[in-house]
Amino acid sequence: MRRFLLVFFLVYVQALAVLAQSQYTELLDNLSDKSLPLINITVDIEKVTKPEYTPATIEIADPLMRTDGENVVTKFNAKVKYRGNSSLRYDKKSFNVKLINEKGKSLDVNILGLRLTDAWILDAMAIDRIRMRNRVNFDTWNAMSRTPYETEHEQRNGTVGRFVEVFINGIYHGLYCCTDKVDRNLLGVKKADKVTDSTPVIKGVIYKGDGWSAATQLKGYDDQPMDGAAWNKWELDYPDDYPCEEAYTPMKNFIDYCSKSSDDDFKNGIDKNFYWQNFVDYQVFLLSQGLRDNSLKNTFLSIVNIKKGNCMMVTPWDLDCSLGGDWDGQLYNELATMDVVLTVGLYRRLWNNNVNKYQTAVADRWQQLSANVLSVEEFNKRLDTYADQIVKSGAWKREYDMWNNNPVALTENLYDELSYVKDWYKRNLQNLNENVYNGIETGIGYVKTTETAPHTLYNIMGQKVNDAYKGIVIENGKKCLRK
């Protein structure tokens, strides 16, 4: 009997090995120009945790050869760990990936032509019913706002990524998005210097809002020690290996400026404390995408070099809770209101007191962007472009077969779910025009009457219209009246 069980076990293990090999190799053997890139992680998956990295190898198969420009398949040594907090309870988990060389040192690679770096994310998107909210939102942000200073990455202030299909030890694991990370190098934050006693001299700092608190809403803070990984729910993302009072003091001072300064000091200190246009853009972004979990939780605040100034820049993060979809994957029908913005002390003072005509600045930016980057037409195009990739590659069917109802229900036809998102977005734009920005004095220089329009025209909802349209239109970012 024992011998029989042993033989059965060995046959079973071999069968699993053959199945695992066939799942990855089958898709690898059938790669085409319609295929998504494939990523096979070879790792002892039972040892993978969130706190510590586990040794692994990563094999990337890309029919467009975007990783090294020469090979369809590239393979790297790596180490992986889980990422996320509440998402760790899902069977489909996200991964942090670090690429390393044969000596175990960091290895920068331009994976899929995205960016040269050693740190990557495989985003599981487990609670997102369309598996693209985070990616679409970052694409939108990258199109509408850049860093207010030069960087090595064309002033990009958000992640880039590509959809891939992931395998664990050859076994299919689902549709993922491979993205780079928001980090010191991307944002152009200055690296800490080391002096003779090996104590770093801090220059640039990056803070990540890791929870809801008075501090992450820039309203105040509790008296907490400044020597840990986080202070008042602001995680020290860089320099994370040297938490100290010097590193946290710029954030403390910024909160004081937002919450305690006199009206005159607040107004006069704008240029020294934060980048005006960056924060204007972020307000427009929050409301246009219906972001419910990003003010300022799930954002980064950074300073390039505290030795030369303390101007804060905001960078978004973790944008799944948006576009009519909640943090747990449930759908919500509510449209965006100013409440999500006014919970933040800085925004409340700027908006309610209309400091330096802040309301006008936001309304003007909204009008400009809703005619192009944030228009219904451009939004729908982003969704459809990704949906076509995912569906035509066969990835959506495989994702649906494996992960439907775990943890959220998926539609067998991805475009059905997209219809809900598109409708929500269209209604939200109309809501913002009618209930948020309507009646605000704008900086539009003129209103003209015109019989013909030599350029593309959009109505006030950001929809393209033809020459026969009568009423208020947006032409080249300006409001015009057509009769």
Side-chain angles (χ1 to χ4, degrees), residues 216-229:
T216 55
Q217 294 184 325
L218 306 179
K219 295 177 180 178
Y221 47 80
D222 296 330
D223 184 17
Q224 295 181 6
M226 294 182 170
D227 57 0

Side-chain angles (χ1 to χ4, degrees), residues 8-135:
F8 175 81
F9 176 75
L10 292 174
V11 171
Y12 176 72
V13 170
Q14 289 175 348
L16 287 180
V18 170
L19 173 63
Q21 185 69 10
S22 65
Q23 287 185 301
Y24 174 58
T25 56
E26 181 181 355
L27 263 68
L28 184 61
D29 291 343
N30 289 281
L31 276 181
S32 72
D33 57 358
K34 294 182 179 180
S35 300
L36 295 182
L38 311 178
I39 296 182
N40 184 35
I41 305 173
T42 302
V43 65
D44 187 344
I45 195 64
E46 298 300 324
K47 292 184 178 179
V48 177
T49 64
K50 178 181 178 179
E52 301 294 334
Y53 280 101
T54 300
T57 59
I58 302 288
E59 184 169 299
I60 303 167
D62 177 23
L64 301 182
M65 298 182 290
R66 288 167 290 191
T67 297
D68 68 2
E70 297 179 354
N71 298 291
V72 171
V73 178
T74 51
K75 191 172 183 178
F76 304 97
N77 294 322
K79 50 186 181 179
V80 301
K81 67 178 181 179
Y82 292 133
R83 68 175 301 270
N85 293 313
S86 59
S87 61
L88 289 176
R89 67 177 181 267
Y90 306 137
D91 292 332
K92 190 188 183 194
K93 295 176 174 61
S94 297
F95 296 92
N96 280 319
V97 178
K98 278 277 208 179
L99 301 181
I100 55 177
N101 60 23
E102 63 279 359
K103 297 181 179 179
K105 303 295 184 181
S106 293
L107 177 67
D108 291 339
V109 176
N110 192 351
I111 288 183
L112 301 176
L114 294 170
R115 170 187 162 201
L116 191 65
T117 183
D118 68 327
W120 296 91
I121 292 170
L122 290 173
D123 184 10
M125 310 168 290
I127 58 91
D128 181 7
R129 295 169 185 258
I130 60 171
R131 300 296 201 254
M132 66 176 77
R133 279 180 167 86
N134 196 57
R135 183 70 266 136

Side-chain angles (χ1 to χ4, degrees), residues 202-236:
I202 295 173
K203 290 186 175 180
V205 291
I206 305 176
Y207 310 97
K208 180 182 177 183
D210 198 35
W212 296 111
S213 72
T216 55
Q217 294 184 325
L218 306 179
K219 295 177 180 178
Y221 47 80
D222 296 330
D223 184 17
Q224 295 181 6
M226 294 182 170
D227 57 0
W231 174 78
N232 280 275
K233 298 294 185 180
W234 280 111
E235 179 183 312
L236 186 63

Side-chain angles (χ1 to χ4, degrees), residues 21 41 79 83 90 96 98 135 144 151 203 205 219 255 268 272 275 294-296 376 380 410 423 425 443 451 467:
Q21 185 69 10
I41 305 173
K79 50 186 181 179
R83 68 175 301 270
Y90 306 137
N96 280 319
K98 278 277 208 179
R135 183 70 266 136
M144 63 178 279
T151 70
K203 290 186 175 180
V205 291
K219 295 177 180 178
I255 297 171
N268 294 332
K272 296 180 180 179
Y275 291 104
N294 298 84
S295 55
L296 291 168
V376 169
N380 290 348
L410 304 176
D423 177 68
Y425 189 82
E451 296 298 330
D467 290 348

Side-chain angles (χ1 to χ4, degrees), residues 97-309:
V97 178
K98 278 277 208 179
L99 301 181
I100 55 177
N101 60 23
E102 63 279 359
K103 297 181 179 179
K105 303 295 184 181
S106 293
L107 177 67
D108 291 339
V109 176
N110 192 351
I111 288 183
L112 301 176
L114 294 170
R115 170 187 162 201
L116 191 65
T117 183
D118 68 327
W120 296 91
I121 292 170
L122 290 173
D123 184 10
M125 310 168 290
I127 58 91
D128 181 7
R129 295 169 185 258
I130 60 171
R131 300 296 201 254
M132 66 176 77
R133 279 180 167 86
N134 196 57
R135 183 70 266 136
V136 166
N137 286 332
F138 264 117
D139 289 352
T140 300
W141 172 252
N142 288 335
M144 63 178 279
S145 190
R146 314 300 277 182
T147 66
Y149 50 82
E150 296 295 325
T151 70
E152 296 178 359
H153 301 282
E154 300 179 331
Q155 297 178 266
R156 179 156 58 85
N157 192 20
T159 72
V160 288
R162 300 192 193 280
F163 290 100
V164 300
E165 295 189 81
V166 168
F167 299 76
I168 306 296
N169 299 320
I171 299 175
Y172 189 76
H173 204 64
L175 176 67
Y176 278 69
C177 190
C178 177
T179 79
D180 67 344
K181 300 183 74 172
V182 173
D183 58 16
R184 183 194 67 79
N185 183 267
L186 176 66
L187 301 184
V189 167
K190 298 303 180 184
K191 190 175 182 179
D193 285 339
K194 289 192 175 182
V195 294
T196 53
D197 64 356
S198 298
T199 301
V201 175
I202 295 173
K203 290 186 175 180
V205 291
I206 305 176
Y207 310 97
K208 180 182 177 183
D210 198 35
W212 296 111
S213 72
T216 55
Q217 294 184 325
L218 306 179
K219 295 177 180 178
Y221 47 80
D222 296 330
D223 184 17
Q224 295 181 6
M226 294 182 170
D227 57 0
W231 174 78
N232 280 275
K233 298 294 185 180
W234 280 111
E235 179 183 312
L236 186 63
D237 194 73
Y238 184 83
D240 57 330
D241 56 350
Y242 191 60
C244 62
E245 185 172 349
E246 183 183 10
Y248 282 113
T249 294
M251 174 57 76
K252 179 176 180 290
N253 291 341
F254 185 57
I255 297 171
D256 285 342
Y257 162 76
C258 293
S259 61
K260 296 181 179 179
S261 62
S262 67
D263 288 344
D264 284 343
D265 287 345
F266 180 79
K267 180 178 180 179
N268 294 332
I270 286 175
D271 291 341
K272 296 180 180 179
N273 284 278
F274 66 95
Y275 291 104
W276 172 273
Q277 190 59 53
N278 169 245
F279 275 80
V280 167
D281 288 347
Y282 193 66
Q283 172 169 337
V284 172
F285 180 62
L286 278 173
L287 295 179
S288 67
Q289 310 306 294
L291 292 158
R292 294 159 66 98
D293 205 24
N294 298 84
S295 55
L296 291 168
K297 177 179 177 283
N298 288 329
T299 61
F300 293 94
L301 292 183
S302 60
I303 300 173
V304 172
N305 188 349
I306 63 176
K307 305 301 183 185
K308 295 185 177 181

